[in-house]
Amino acid sequence: MYKILETRQFSEAVFYMKIDAPDIARNRKAGQFVLVQLDLDYGERVPLTIADANAEEGWIAIVYQAVGATTYKLSKKKTGESLAAVLGPLGNPSVIKKFDNAPVVLVGGGFGVAPLYPIAQAFKQAGNKVIMIMGARSKDLLIYEKEMKDLCDEVIIMTDDGSYGEKGVVTIPLEKLCSQEVPPAEVVAIGPPIMMKFACATTKKYNVPTTVSLNTIMIDGTGMCGGCRASIGGETKFVCVDGPEFDGHLVDWDNMMMRMKSFKDREQEEFHKCKMEAAAEALA
């Protein structure tokens, strides 16, 4: 059993959880994920990217969105309770390089900012200048602002409604940085697929290498279900075993977004069913 050390709610549907997992904390690297299972007898395994870890204290942190039955149940877990299983670290770690004259730019959309935090840590530890572009629909949906400001050399905040930072989408400052005399050495983008698609379209115009994480399409996390198939440069890859990070300029974004809709209706159905059952239990 894995003890829950801390829980937080960032917004209506986005949650933070710190878990006692010393072996994973010692061995994890930036970009990797874990499989979380609430119940050993029955319950799906949910792949979630490691958003932070402390090897000395023996904990890892995950940030997730309650969109289905299992993540909804996970969001109801409290500090001091336990999870049946946490398996990891899984997936290929981020490729971290030292660039001498150009910055690394990280682009995060919504709760996609959280998995960028260990990547930002790794690039800073390697001696890079790191610029963070954070985007959200509104100020209330921004996460990890303080953590990123404490870590990165520069943080640019964009909100769709202009309630905080600058009004607009993340590709606006990204294009400005790419068009400078010294463009970014690399861009790493994590967030909604549509955001990553347009971030890649922006960087491609300037031939800036761009890495994306396709973690949101993962289902089983072990390569057995085949649900995370993605077309990368015309080849079929399995995100959980071949990734989760890929060259963003090679991703067939339209195909990926179409496939992500496959289980959307069922996911929503189970989510609402789970909420109704919880409400009924509360009234009983």
Side-chain angles (χ1 to χ4, degrees), residues 57-206:
E57 297 179 6
W59 58 261
I60 64 168
I62 54 174
V63 175
Y64 61 96
Q65 189 172 18
V67 293
T70 301
T71 47
Y72 175 76
K73 291 176 183 177
L74 186 63
S75 72
K76 297 303 177 184
K77 288 283 188 178
K78 293 179 172 55
T79 301
E81 295 182 347
S82 297
L83 301 171
V86 180
L87 175 65
L90 299 171
N92 296 305
S94 303
V95 177
I96 305 298
K97 300 177 182 178
K98 169 67 170 71
F99 300 104
D100 294 328
N101 301 314
V104 174
V105 175
L106 309 180
V107 184
F111 77 102
V113 172
L116 279 169
Y117 184 60
I119 296 174
Q121 289 176 317
F123 273 116
K124 282 299 296 179
Q125 289 169 1
N128 292 287
K129 177 181 179 181
V130 177
I131 300 173
M132 178 73 213
I133 303 175
M134 303 172 59
R137 293 195 304 274
S138 64
K139 180 181 179 180
D140 293 341
L141 298 177
L142 285 167
I143 65 171
Y144 270 59
E145 179 186 355
K146 182 182 184 303
E147 289 86 348
M148 287 300 190
K149 284 184 174 179
D150 288 344
L151 177 64
C152 299
D153 298 277
E154 181 181 356
V155 175
I156 301 168
I157 297 175
M158 307 294 295
T159 52
D160 294 351
D161 62 1
S163 56
Y164 194 60
E166 299 180 42
K167 184 176 182 178
V169 294
V170 294
T171 51
I172 296 173
L174 178 61
E175 179 128 31
K176 290 180 181 178
L177 291 169
C178 288
S179 63
Q180 290 180 351
E181 185 176 346
V182 180
E186 183 178 354
V187 168
V188 181
I190 303 179
I194 191 67
M195 182 221 79
M196 293 190 288
K197 174 183 177 179
F198 283 104
C200 290
T202 300
T203 58
K204 192 172 184 178
K205 293 187 294 184
Y206 300 93

Side-chain angles (χ1 to χ4, degrees), residues 3-8 10 15-20 59-62 64 77-81:
K3 188 175 181 180
I4 299 169
L5 303 176
E6 181 185 346
T7 60
R8 276 185 261 160
F10 286 138
F15 299 84
Y16 169 98
M17 182 178 286
K18 184 188 288 186
I19 305 165
D20 182 41
W59 58 261
I60 64 168
I62 54 174
Y64 61 96
K77 288 283 188 178
K78 293 179 172 55
T79 301
E81 295 182 347

